[in-house]
Amino acid sequence: MMNAGCSHFLTRRSALATLVSTAFLASGRGSQAAPTPQPGAVRFGYDDVVTQARLLGERPFDPGGLTIPPELSKLTYDSYREIRFRREKALWQESGSDFRLHPFHLGFLHNKPVQLHVVKNGNAIPIPFTTGLFEYGKVPVPKQLSPSLGFAGFAVTTTLNNPKVQDEVISFLGASYFRLIGRGHRYGLSARSLAIDVGGKQPEEFPFFRALWLEEPGADSLDLVIYALLDSPSVTGAFRYVVSPGRKTSTTVTATILPRVEIPRIGIAPLTSMFLAGEGDLGHRTDFRPEVHDSDGLLMQTGSGDWIWRPIRNPGSLRISSFGDRDPRGFGLMQRDREYGHYQDLEAHYHARPGYWVEPIGEWGEGRVDLIEIPTNNEAFDNIVACWTPAQPLEIGKASEFTYRIAALSTTNDLHPMAQVRNSFSGWDSREPDADGMGKQRFIIDFADGDLGYFLNDPKRVEIVASATAGSITNTIIDANPAAKGFRVILDATLPVGQTADLRAHLKARNRILSETWTQSWSVPSPAVRGAPDHVVTRD
């Protein structure tokens, strides 16, 4: 039996499969043969999930079945960490595949049950819960938990870094979050399947998964296919994820979204990260570590082909930057700084955190890339979000489909051949207005790589192209930087009190563009509105 709220939408194939699901997990390996569909029978697939999402969306949101037993909800952070899946019980061990499936236990903050299924020989077979799948450490083993309880999510391991060793490659845990890593990576930022009202005037809504299906991989499977049924008060949805592990692990996502109501701020392909302190935020350091962040910048390729780099900051107040575009070619939250010495963290390994690059497939039309930066003084909380927001709200009850690819990257050097922003600093800062009501600030940008090493032989050929949407740039300086095989740019800007500006700068030699475009917003708030949100809107 399934969770209330989605049991109405099970296919008959899934209902029949329940009869064999207990035997399916008896050995913890899923080695028993599942029923073979009769000739001409329809195999479970993405269209089935879309149908469930459509039927679910035709009914009012039902929160039934979204609670867990008290003994699980009362688990603390430390007690929940005591509960671990028994790796010897991992599914698919006898399938001949390199993939292994490890469900997560419910409890603590993970209090919304999700029903897991394995699609075997075309049949969607529910995975029943049993305490025998887990080690409980110092936590008493719960009693009388139903096989239909569900799970918090799952992780999949494979031979990612060593042909003889199983390492996690992707996990789904919490709301609609998932994380993927490539070779040599440590988990850092997260991807989400959908975001609603991030940075809006009302509390953010978190869509969640009611059910997840994984196609059992075969001995020759290079990819892993996952389906998901999403629900929330405002929207339902169906998702398909095709995971391709490797040095640059990627996931191709197909999303079918069906709004129940009009959603003014809906985030497509949202990414969530953490930024506490970086080279430009020394005032946010809380201990000996020079930098603390999962990502250090937002990279974008616009529909017209321009490359833009926006350094991430830990702002003094909520900051929303919107980059208008049509049919974007890509965007992502990246961890460009890979030097261990810049972090000095032996546990978190921030230098090994991946960046996520989102590449839209097909035309996404008019919209904007939103970057939301939320103040924080704790590295335990994600405070950075980037997503695509369509210009017009999605039509109520109508299926809107978006397809894109997310890749986990160690470097952005392979994305384009131009020079990149390596560092970004703030120099002197005089936001308190002078006698003329103007604030002043200096910005310092290091450009490196690309073809800049060639131009170090004749630095005078390199020029700065700088602009500001408000105020003015009063002075520019460019210096050769042989140590970085590039150039250092200094911008002095002024801005009237109460205004916010978007600054941009790139390098060129005659008519040849040499670098991506650095961009940064800054403001000189009036004393009466200090701490109010900044919202910068730009158009590319």
Side-chain angles (χ1 to χ4, degrees), residues 199 273-277 281 284 286 312-320 371-385 530-534:
S273 191
M274 181 276 296
F275 188 99
L276 179 64
D281 293 85
H284 290 290
T286 58
I312 295 173
R313 292 289 180 261
N314 184 357
S317 58
L318 174 66
R319 177 185 293 171
I320 303 174
L371 174 66
I372 298 96
E373 298 165 294
I374 304 168
T376 187
N377 57 8
N378 192 326
E379 65 190 284
F381 301 103
D382 288 342
N383 64 316
I384 306 296
V385 178
R530 292 190 188 279
D534 290 340

PDB file of all heavy atoms in Angstrom, residues 199 273-277 281 284 286 312-320 371-385 530-534:
ATOM      1  N   GLY A 199      13.228  34.333  -2.190  1.00  0.00           N
ATOM      2  CA  GLY A 199      13.451  35.764  -2.135  1.00  0.00           C
ATOM      3  C   GLY A 199      12.197  36.595  -2.339  1.00  0.00           C
ATOM      4  O   GLY A 199      12.287  37.812  -2.502  1.00  0.00           O
ATOM      5  N   SER A 273      23.470  26.935  -2.678  1.00  0.00           N
ATOM      6  CA  SER A 273      24.847  26.821  -2.210  1.00  0.00           C
ATOM      7  C   SER A 273      25.043  27.629  -0.939  1.00  0.00           C
ATOM      8  O   SER A 273      24.110  28.249  -0.416  1.00  0.00           O
ATOM      9  CB  SER A 273      25.819  27.276  -3.305  1.00  0.00           C
ATOM     10  OG  SER A 273      27.148  26.941  -2.992  1.00  0.00           O
ATOM     11  N   MET A 274      26.285  27.624  -0.451  1.00  0.00           N
ATOM     12  CA  MET A 274      26.644  28.352   0.767  1.00  0.00           C
ATOM     13  C   MET A 274      27.847  29.244   0.510  1.00  0.00           C
ATOM     14  O   MET A 274      28.823  28.819  -0.115  1.00  0.00           O
ATOM     15  CB  MET A 274      26.969  27.363   1.894  1.00  0.00           C
ATOM     16  CG  MET A 274      27.349  28.009   3.235  1.00  0.00           C
ATOM     17  SD  MET A 274      29.116  28.505   3.372  1.00  0.00           S
ATOM     18  CE  MET A 274      29.949  26.934   3.259  1.00  0.00           C
ATOM     19  N   PHE A 275      27.751  30.478   0.967  1.00  0.00           N
ATOM     20  CA  PHE A 275      28.889  31.403   0.911  1.00  0.00           C
ATOM     21  C   PHE A 275      28.919  32.191   2.218  1.00  0.00           C
ATOM     22  O   PHE A 275      28.025  32.985   2.491  1.00  0.00           O
ATOM     23  CB  PHE A 275      28.774  32.361  -0.272  1.00  0.00           C
ATOM     24  CG  PHE A 275      30.009  33.194  -0.487  1.00  0.00           C
ATOM     25  CD1 PHE A 275      30.950  32.842  -1.437  1.00  0.00           C
ATOM     26  CD2 PHE A 275      30.247  34.329   0.273  1.00  0.00           C
ATOM     27  CE1 PHE A 275      32.099  33.600  -1.628  1.00  0.00           C
ATOM     28  CE2 PHE A 275      31.383  35.086   0.104  1.00  0.00           C
ATOM     29  CZ  PHE A 275      32.318  34.722  -0.859  1.00  0.00           C
ATOM     30  N   LEU A 276      29.960  31.929   3.011  1.00  0.00           N
ATOM     31  CA  LEU A 276      30.145  32.672   4.254  1.00  0.00           C
ATOM     32  C   LEU A 276      31.192  33.759   4.090  1.00  0.00           C
ATOM     33  O   LEU A 276      30.951  34.915   4.423  1.00  0.00           O
ATOM     34  CB  LEU A 276      30.540  31.722   5.384  1.00  0.00           C
ATOM     35  CG  LEU A 276      30.797  32.361   6.756  1.00  0.00           C
ATOM     36  CD1 LEU A 276      29.519  32.992   7.305  1.00  0.00           C
ATOM     37  CD2 LEU A 276      31.343  31.324   7.737  1.00  0.00           C
ATOM     38  N   ALA A 277      32.358  33.395   3.575  1.00  0.00           N
ATOM     39  CA  ALA A 277      33.442  34.368   3.431  1.00  0.00           C
ATOM     40  C   ALA A 277      34.351  33.954   2.279  1.00  0.00           C
ATOM     41  O   ALA A 277      34.608  32.771   2.062  1.00  0.00           O
ATOM     42  CB  ALA A 277      34.252  34.458   4.724  1.00  0.00           C
ATOM     43  N   ASP A 281      35.407  39.128   1.185  1.00  0.00           N
ATOM     44  CA  ASP A 281      34.532  39.260   2.350  1.00  0.00           C
ATOM     45  C   ASP A 281      35.297  38.941   3.627  1.00  0.00           C
ATOM     46  O   ASP A 281      34.857  38.149   4.465  1.00  0.00           O
ATOM     47  CB  ASP A 281      33.347  38.294   2.229  1.00  0.00           C
ATOM     48  CG  ASP A 281      32.423  38.665   1.095  1.00  0.00           C
ATOM     49  OD1 ASP A 281      32.701  38.250  -0.041  1.00  0.00           O
ATOM     50  OD2 ASP A 281      31.440  39.370   1.356  1.00  0.00           O
ATOM     51  N   HIS A 284      33.689  38.742   7.150  1.00  0.00           N
ATOM     52  CA  HIS A 284      32.790  37.666   7.563  1.00  0.00           C
ATOM     53  C   HIS A 284      33.548  36.458   8.102  1.00  0.00           C
ATOM     54  O   HIS A 284      32.922  35.458   8.451  1.00  0.00           O
ATOM     55  CB  HIS A 284      31.916  37.235   6.383  1.00  0.00           C
ATOM     56  CG  HIS A 284      30.889  38.255   5.994  1.00  0.00           C
ATOM     57  ND1 HIS A 284      29.794  38.548   6.779  1.00  0.00           N
ATOM     58  CD2 HIS A 284      30.794  39.053   4.905  1.00  0.00           C
ATOM     59  CE1 HIS A 284      29.066  39.483   6.191  1.00  0.00           C
ATOM     60  NE2 HIS A 284      29.650  39.800   5.058  1.00  0.00           N
ATOM     61  N   THR A 286      35.057  33.921  10.549  1.00  0.00           N
ATOM     62  CA  THR A 286      34.690  33.617  11.931  1.00  0.00           C
ATOM     63  C   THR A 286      35.781  32.850  12.671  1.00  0.00           C
ATOM     64  O   THR A 286      35.664  32.630  13.875  1.00  0.00           O
ATOM     65  CB  THR A 286      33.397  32.787  11.968  1.00  0.00           C
ATOM     66  OG1 THR A 286      33.591  31.584  11.210  1.00  0.00           O
ATOM     67  CG2 THR A 286      32.230  33.572  11.379  1.00  0.00           C
ATOM     68  N   ILE A 312      30.068  35.888  -5.974  1.00  0.00           N
ATOM     69  CA  ILE A 312      29.076  35.761  -4.912  1.00  0.00           C
ATOM     70  C   ILE A 312      29.587  36.483  -3.668  1.00  0.00           C
ATOM     71  O   ILE A 312      30.789  36.512  -3.402  1.00  0.00           O
ATOM     72  CB  ILE A 312      28.806  34.279  -4.595  1.00  0.00           C
ATOM     73  CG1 ILE A 312      28.162  33.597  -5.802  1.00  0.00           C
ATOM     74  CG2 ILE A 312      27.911  34.132  -3.380  1.00  0.00           C
ATOM     75  CD1 ILE A 312      28.026  32.103  -5.640  1.00  0.00           C
ATOM     76  N   ARG A 313      28.669  37.056  -2.919  1.00  0.00           N
ATOM     77  CA  ARG A 313      29.006  37.747  -1.683  1.00  0.00           C
ATOM     78  C   ARG A 313      28.063  37.308  -0.570  1.00  0.00           C
ATOM     79  O   ARG A 313      26.969  36.789  -0.816  1.00  0.00           O
ATOM     80  CB  ARG A 313      28.899  39.278  -1.868  1.00  0.00           C
ATOM     81  CG  ARG A 313      29.954  39.862  -2.790  1.00  0.00           C
ATOM     82  CD  ARG A 313      31.319  39.829  -2.134  1.00  0.00           C
ATOM     83  NE  ARG A 313      32.373  40.389  -2.969  1.00  0.00           N
ATOM     84  CZ  ARG A 313      33.217  39.675  -3.704  1.00  0.00           C
ATOM     85  NH1 ARG A 313      33.121  38.363  -3.729  1.00  0.00           N
ATOM     86  NH2 ARG A 313      34.164  40.259  -4.404  1.00  0.00           N
ATOM     87  N   ASN A 314      28.490  37.538   0.661  1.00  0.00           N
ATOM     88  CA  ASN A 314      27.634  37.391   1.836  1.00  0.00           C
ATOM     89  C   ASN A 314      27.158  38.798   2.178  1.00  0.00           C
ATOM     90  O   ASN A 314      27.866  39.551   2.841  1.00  0.00           O
ATOM     91  CB  ASN A 314      28.424  36.777   2.992  1.00  0.00           C
ATOM     92  CG  ASN A 314      27.566  36.514   4.226  1.00  0.00           C
ATOM     93  OD1 ASN A 314      26.382  36.829   4.259  1.00  0.00           O
ATOM     94  ND2 ASN A 314      28.180  35.952   5.252  1.00  0.00           N
ATOM     95  N   PRO A 315      25.958  39.180   1.736  1.00  0.00           N
ATOM     96  CA  PRO A 315      25.558  40.589   1.819  1.00  0.00           C
ATOM     97  C   PRO A 315      25.116  40.985   3.219  1.00  0.00           C
ATOM     98  O   PRO A 315      24.833  40.142   4.078  1.00  0.00           O
ATOM     99  CB  PRO A 315      24.387  40.662   0.840  1.00  0.00           C
ATOM    100  CG  PRO A 315      23.765  39.303   0.937  1.00  0.00           C
ATOM    101  CD  PRO A 315      24.912  38.337   1.139  1.00  0.00           C
ATOM    102  N   GLY A 316      25.050  42.292   3.439  1.00  0.00           N
ATOM    103  CA  GLY A 316      24.547  42.796   4.706  1.00  0.00           C
ATOM    104  C   GLY A 316      23.040  42.690   4.810  1.00  0.00           C
ATOM    105  O   GLY A 316      22.477  42.681   5.909  1.00  0.00           O
ATOM    106  N   SER A 317      22.347  42.609   3.656  1.00  0.00           N
ATOM    107  CA  SER A 317      20.897  42.435   3.609  1.00  0.00           C
ATOM    108  C   SER A 317      20.569  41.619   2.369  1.00  0.00           C
ATOM    109  O   SER A 317      21.415  41.438   1.489  1.00  0.00           O
ATOM    110  CB  SER A 317      20.184  43.794   3.560  1.00  0.00           C
ATOM    111  OG  SER A 317      20.606  44.543   2.430  1.00  0.00           O
ATOM    112  N   LEU A 318      19.355  41.108   2.316  1.00  0.00           N
ATOM    113  CA  LEU A 318      18.932  40.292   1.185  1.00  0.00           C
ATOM    114  C   LEU A 318      19.212  41.018  -0.132  1.00  0.00           C
ATOM    115  O   LEU A 318      18.849  42.180  -0.299  1.00  0.00           O
ATOM    116  CB  LEU A 318      17.442  39.981   1.292  1.00  0.00           C
ATOM    117  CG  LEU A 318      16.811  39.255   0.100  1.00  0.00           C
ATOM    118  CD1 LEU A 318      17.374  37.845  -0.033  1.00  0.00           C
ATOM    119  CD2 LEU A 318      15.297  39.229   0.237  1.00  0.00           C
ATOM    120  N   ARG A 319      19.852  40.317  -1.055  1.00  0.00           N
ATOM    121  CA  ARG A 319      20.179  40.912  -2.349  1.00  0.00           C
ATOM    122  C   ARG A 319      19.694  39.984  -3.452  1.00  0.00           C
ATOM    123  O   ARG A 319      20.002  38.794  -3.461  1.00  0.00           O
ATOM    124  CB  ARG A 319      21.683  41.131  -2.477  1.00  0.00           C
ATOM    125  CG  ARG A 319      22.112  41.691  -3.837  1.00  0.00           C
ATOM    126  CD  ARG A 319      23.619  41.773  -3.954  1.00  0.00           C
ATOM    127  NE  ARG A 319      24.160  42.751  -3.033  1.00  0.00           N
ATOM    128  CZ  ARG A 319      25.474  42.887  -2.820  1.00  0.00           C
ATOM    129  NH1 ARG A 319      26.340  42.095  -3.419  1.00  0.00           N
ATOM    130  NH2 ARG A 319      25.901  43.816  -1.975  1.00  0.00           N
ATOM    131  N   ILE A 320      18.922  40.514  -4.390  1.00  0.00           N
ATOM    132  CA  ILE A 320      18.439  39.751  -5.535  1.00  0.00           C
ATOM    133  C   ILE A 320      18.933  40.444  -6.801  1.00  0.00           C
ATOM    134  O   ILE A 320      18.628  41.614  -7.038  1.00  0.00           O
ATOM    135  CB  ILE A 320      16.900  39.671  -5.561  1.00  0.00           C
ATOM    136  CG1 ILE A 320      16.377  39.057  -4.256  1.00  0.00           C
ATOM    137  CG2 ILE A 320      16.434  38.845  -6.755  1.00  0.00           C
ATOM    138  CD1 ILE A 320      14.867  39.070  -4.141  1.00  0.00           C
ATOM    139  N   LEU A 371      19.787  35.562  -9.085  1.00  0.00           N
ATOM    140  CA  LEU A 371      20.761  35.211  -8.054  1.00  0.00           C
ATOM    141  C   LEU A 371      20.275  35.815  -6.748  1.00  0.00           C
ATOM    142  O   LEU A 371      20.153  37.038  -6.630  1.00  0.00           O
ATOM    143  CB  LEU A 371      22.154  35.740  -8.403  1.00  0.00           C
ATOM    144  CG  LEU A 371      23.221  35.554  -7.323  1.00  0.00           C
ATOM    145  CD1 LEU A 371      23.515  34.071  -7.116  1.00  0.00           C
ATOM    146  CD2 LEU A 371      24.501  36.304  -7.682  1.00  0.00           C
ATOM    147  N   ILE A 372      19.991  34.956  -5.775  1.00  0.00           N
ATOM    148  CA  ILE A 372      19.515  35.411  -4.466  1.00  0.00           C
ATOM    149  C   ILE A 372      20.621  35.166  -3.446  1.00  0.00           C
ATOM    150  O   ILE A 372      21.092  34.032  -3.297  1.00  0.00           O
ATOM    151  CB  ILE A 372      18.231  34.669  -4.046  1.00  0.00           C
ATOM    152  CG1 ILE A 372      17.095  34.958  -5.041  1.00  0.00           C
ATOM    153  CG2 ILE A 372      17.803  35.075  -2.647  1.00  0.00           C
ATOM    154  CD1 ILE A 372      16.921  33.927  -6.118  1.00  0.00           C
ATOM    155  N   GLU A 373      21.059  36.235  -2.777  1.00  0.00           N
ATOM    156  CA  GLU A 373      22.097  36.156  -1.756  1.00  0.00           C
ATOM    157  C   GLU A 373      21.493  36.577  -0.423  1.00  0.00           C
ATOM    158  O   GLU A 373      20.975  37.691  -0.289  1.00  0.00           O
ATOM    159  CB  GLU A 373      23.273  37.059  -2.119  1.00  0.00           C
ATOM    160  CG  GLU A 373      23.958  36.661  -3.429  1.00  0.00           C
ATOM    161  CD  GLU A 373      24.876  37.747  -3.957  1.00  0.00           C
ATOM    162  OE1 GLU A 373      24.354  38.825  -4.324  1.00  0.00           O
ATOM    163  OE2 GLU A 373      26.102  37.520  -4.000  1.00  0.00           O
ATOM    164  N   ILE A 374      21.561  35.694   0.560  1.00  0.00           N
ATOM    165  CA  ILE A 374      20.932  35.903   1.858  1.00  0.00           C
ATOM    166  C   ILE A 374      22.023  36.042   2.919  1.00  0.00           C
ATOM    167  O   ILE A 374      22.962  35.244   2.937  1.00  0.00           O
ATOM    168  CB  ILE A 374      20.002  34.721   2.206  1.00  0.00           C
ATOM    169  CG1 ILE A 374      18.961  34.538   1.097  1.00  0.00           C
ATOM    170  CG2 ILE A 374      19.319  34.930   3.553  1.00  0.00           C
ATOM    171  CD1 ILE A 374      18.186  33.228   1.201  1.00  0.00           C
ATOM    172  N   PRO A 375      21.940  37.034   3.792  1.00  0.00           N
ATOM    173  CA  PRO A 375      22.981  37.189   4.823  1.00  0.00           C
ATOM    174  C   PRO A 375      23.049  35.958   5.721  1.00  0.00           C
ATOM    175  O   PRO A 375      22.027  35.341   6.041  1.00  0.00           O
ATOM    176  CB  PRO A 375      22.514  38.417   5.624  1.00  0.00           C
ATOM    177  CG  PRO A 375      21.520  39.110   4.752  1.00  0.00           C
ATOM    178  CD  PRO A 375      20.890  38.067   3.895  1.00  0.00           C
ATOM    179  N   THR A 376      24.253  35.583   6.133  1.00  0.00           N
ATOM    180  CA  THR A 376      24.413  34.472   7.057  1.00  0.00           C
ATOM    181  C   THR A 376      25.666  34.658   7.893  1.00  0.00           C
ATOM    182  O   THR A 376      26.616  35.322   7.458  1.00  0.00           O
ATOM    183  CB  THR A 376      24.487  33.126   6.307  1.00  0.00           C
ATOM    184  OG1 THR A 376      24.480  32.050   7.254  1.00  0.00           O
ATOM    185  CG2 THR A 376      25.759  33.020   5.487  1.00  0.00           C
ATOM    186  N   ASN A 377      25.676  34.071   9.068  1.00  0.00           N
ATOM    187  CA  ASN A 377      26.877  34.032   9.899  1.00  0.00           C
ATOM    188  C   ASN A 377      27.212  32.604  10.303  1.00  0.00           C
ATOM    189  O   ASN A 377      27.922  32.363  11.262  1.00  0.00           O
ATOM    190  CB  ASN A 377      26.716  34.901  11.153  1.00  0.00           C
ATOM    191  CG  ASN A 377      25.515  34.492  11.991  1.00  0.00           C
ATOM    192  OD1 ASN A 377      24.867  33.471  11.727  1.00  0.00           O
ATOM    193  ND2 ASN A 377      25.196  35.292  13.003  1.00  0.00           N
ATOM    194  N   ASN A 378      26.660  31.643   9.525  1.00  0.00           N
ATOM    195  CA  ASN A 378      26.839  30.236   9.852  1.00  0.00           C
ATOM    196  C   ASN A 378      26.989  29.437   8.572  1.00  0.00           C
ATOM    197  O   ASN A 378      26.107  29.485   7.694  1.00  0.00           O
ATOM    198  CB  ASN A 378      25.639  29.727  10.660  1.00  0.00           C
ATOM    199  CG  ASN A 378      25.881  28.360  11.274  1.00  0.00           C
ATOM    200  OD1 ASN A 378      26.553  27.515  10.697  1.00  0.00           O
ATOM    201  ND2 ASN A 378      25.305  28.144  12.445  1.00  0.00           N
ATOM    202  N   GLU A 379      28.053  28.672   8.453  1.00  0.00           N
ATOM    203  CA  GLU A 379      28.296  27.900   7.239  1.00  0.00           C
ATOM    204  C   GLU A 379      27.386  26.679   7.123  1.00  0.00           C
ATOM    205  O   GLU A 379      27.391  25.990   6.099  1.00  0.00           O
ATOM    206  CB  GLU A 379      29.746  27.436   7.183  1.00  0.00           C
ATOM    207  CG  GLU A 379      30.142  26.453   8.264  1.00  0.00           C
ATOM    208  CD  GLU A 379      31.633  26.200   8.309  1.00  0.00           C
ATOM    209  OE1 GLU A 379      32.130  25.460   7.437  1.00  0.00           O
ATOM    210  OE2 GLU A 379      32.300  26.754   9.206  1.00  0.00           O
ATOM    211  N   ALA A 380      26.600  26.391   8.161  1.00  0.00           N
ATOM    212  CA  ALA A 380      25.706  25.236   8.121  1.00  0.00           C
ATOM    213  C   ALA A 380      24.469  25.495   7.274  1.00  0.00           C
ATOM    214  O   ALA A 380      23.723  24.554   6.975  1.00  0.00           O
ATOM    215  CB  ALA A 380      25.290  24.841   9.533  1.00  0.00           C
ATOM    216  N   PHE A 381      24.218  26.749   6.888  1.00  0.00           N
ATOM    217  CA  PHE A 381      22.999  27.092   6.164  1.00  0.00           C
ATOM    218  C   PHE A 381      23.319  27.543   4.750  1.00  0.00           C
ATOM    219  O   PHE A 381      24.202  28.385   4.535  1.00  0.00           O
ATOM    220  CB  PHE A 381      22.232  28.192   6.908  1.00  0.00           C
ATOM    221  CG  PHE A 381      21.834  27.807   8.303  1.00  0.00           C
ATOM    222  CD1 PHE A 381      22.522  28.291   9.400  1.00  0.00           C
ATOM    223  CD2 PHE A 381      20.778  26.934   8.523  1.00  0.00           C
ATOM    224  CE1 PHE A 381      22.173  27.936  10.688  1.00  0.00           C
ATOM    225  CE2 PHE A 381      20.414  26.568   9.811  1.00  0.00           C
ATOM    226  CZ  PHE A 381      21.117  27.072  10.893  1.00  0.00           C
ATOM    227  N   ASP A 382      22.573  26.992   3.794  1.00  0.00           N
ATOM    228  CA  ASP A 382      22.691  27.457   2.414  1.00  0.00           C
ATOM    229  C   ASP A 382      22.033  28.828   2.295  1.00  0.00           C
ATOM    230  O   ASP A 382      20.882  29.007   2.693  1.00  0.00           O
ATOM    231  CB  ASP A 382      22.008  26.475   1.458  1.00  0.00           C
ATOM    232  CG  ASP A 382      22.795  25.183   1.295  1.00  0.00           C
ATOM    233  OD1 ASP A 382      23.988  25.180   1.627  1.00  0.00           O
ATOM    234  OD2 ASP A 382      22.212  24.190   0.831  1.00  0.00           O
ATOM    235  N   ASN A 383      22.764  29.777   1.742  1.00  0.00           N
ATOM    236  CA  ASN A 383      22.241  31.146   1.646  1.00  0.00           C
ATOM    237  C   ASN A 383      22.306  31.714   0.241  1.00  0.00           C
ATOM    238  O   ASN A 383      22.039  32.902   0.043  1.00  0.00           O
ATOM    239  CB  ASN A 383      23.011  32.073   2.603  1.00  0.00           C
ATOM    240  CG  ASN A 383      24.482  32.199   2.244  1.00  0.00           C
ATOM    241  OD1 ASN A 383      25.149  31.206   1.930  1.00  0.00           O
ATOM    242  ND2 ASN A 383      25.017  33.407   2.290  1.00  0.00           N
ATOM    243  N   ILE A 384      22.638  30.863  -0.741  1.00  0.00           N
ATOM    244  CA  ILE A 384      22.761  31.310  -2.126  1.00  0.00           C
ATOM    245  C   ILE A 384      21.862  30.458  -3.009  1.00  0.00           C
ATOM    246  O   ILE A 384      21.876  29.229  -2.912  1.00  0.00           O
ATOM    247  CB  ILE A 384      24.218  31.200  -2.632  1.00  0.00           C
ATOM    248  CG1 ILE A 384      25.187  31.940  -1.692  1.00  0.00           C
ATOM    249  CG2 ILE A 384      24.331  31.717  -4.059  1.00  0.00           C
ATOM    250  CD1 ILE A 384      24.968  33.431  -1.606  1.00  0.00           C
ATOM    251  N   VAL A 385      21.077  31.097  -3.876  1.00  0.00           N
ATOM    252  CA  VAL A 385      20.222  30.380  -4.824  1.00  0.00           C
ATOM    253  C   VAL A 385      20.372  31.024  -6.195  1.00  0.00           C
ATOM    254  O   VAL A 385      20.418  32.259  -6.304  1.00  0.00           O
ATOM    255  CB  VAL A 385      18.738  30.413  -4.395  1.00  0.00           C
ATOM    256  CG1 VAL A 385      17.869  29.693  -5.430  1.00  0.00           C
ATOM    257  CG2 VAL A 385      18.548  29.783  -3.022  1.00  0.00           C
ATOM    258  N   ARG A 530      18.729  51.482   5.580  1.00  0.00           N
ATOM    259  CA  ARG A 530      19.848  50.555   5.673  1.00  0.00           C
ATOM    260  C   ARG A 530      19.335  49.188   6.150  1.00  0.00           C
ATOM    261  O   ARG A 530      18.548  49.099   7.076  1.00  0.00           O
ATOM    262  CB  ARG A 530      20.908  51.078   6.636  1.00  0.00           C
ATOM    263  CG  ARG A 530      21.597  52.329   6.093  1.00  0.00           C
ATOM    264  CD  ARG A 530      22.811  52.691   6.931  1.00  0.00           C
ATOM    265  NE  ARG A 530      23.354  53.979   6.520  1.00  0.00           N
ATOM    266  CZ  ARG A 530      24.147  54.147   5.475  1.00  0.00           C
ATOM    267  NH1 ARG A 530      24.482  53.115   4.753  1.00  0.00           N
ATOM    268  NH2 ARG A 530      24.601  55.351   5.164  1.00  0.00           N
ATOM    269  N   GLY A 531      19.796  48.150   5.502  1.00  0.00           N
ATOM    270  CA  GLY A 531      19.343  46.800   5.805  1.00  0.00           C
ATOM    271  C   GLY A 531      18.191  46.344   4.937  1.00  0.00           C
ATOM    272  O   GLY A 531      17.796  45.180   4.986  1.00  0.00           O
ATOM    273  N   ALA A 532      17.621  47.240   4.104  1.00  0.00           N
ATOM    274  CA  ALA A 532      16.543  46.836   3.205  1.00  0.00           C
ATOM    275  C   ALA A 532      17.113  46.032   2.051  1.00  0.00           C
ATOM    276  O   ALA A 532      18.289  46.149   1.709  1.00  0.00           O
ATOM    277  CB  ALA A 532      15.815  48.085   2.678  1.00  0.00           C
ATOM    278  N   PRO A 533      16.296  45.181   1.415  1.00  0.00           N
ATOM    279  CA  PRO A 533      16.797  44.349   0.317  1.00  0.00           C
ATOM    280  C   PRO A 533      17.267  45.186  -0.859  1.00  0.00           C
ATOM    281  O   PRO A 533      16.693  46.241  -1.175  1.00  0.00           O
ATOM    282  CB  PRO A 533      15.581  43.499  -0.066  1.00  0.00           C
ATOM    283  CG  PRO A 533      14.680  43.535   1.127  1.00  0.00           C
ATOM    284  CD  PRO A 533      14.909  44.892   1.744  1.00  0.00           C
ATOM    285  N   ASP A 534      18.319  44.700  -1.520  1.00  0.00           N
ATOM    286  CA  ASP A 534      18.763  45.258  -2.793  1.00  0.00           C
ATOM    287  C   ASP A 534      18.170  44.395  -3.896  1.00  0.00           C
ATOM    288  O   ASP A 534      18.145  43.175  -3.806  1.00  0.00           O
ATOM    289  CB  ASP A 534      20.295  45.209  -2.915  1.00  0.00           C
ATOM    290  CG  ASP A 534      20.973  46.188  -1.976  1.00  0.00           C
ATOM    291  OD1 ASP A 534      20.293  47.128  -1.547  1.00  0.00           O
ATOM    292  OD2 ASP A 534      22.158  45.992  -1.680  1.00  0.00           O
TER     293      ASP A 534
END
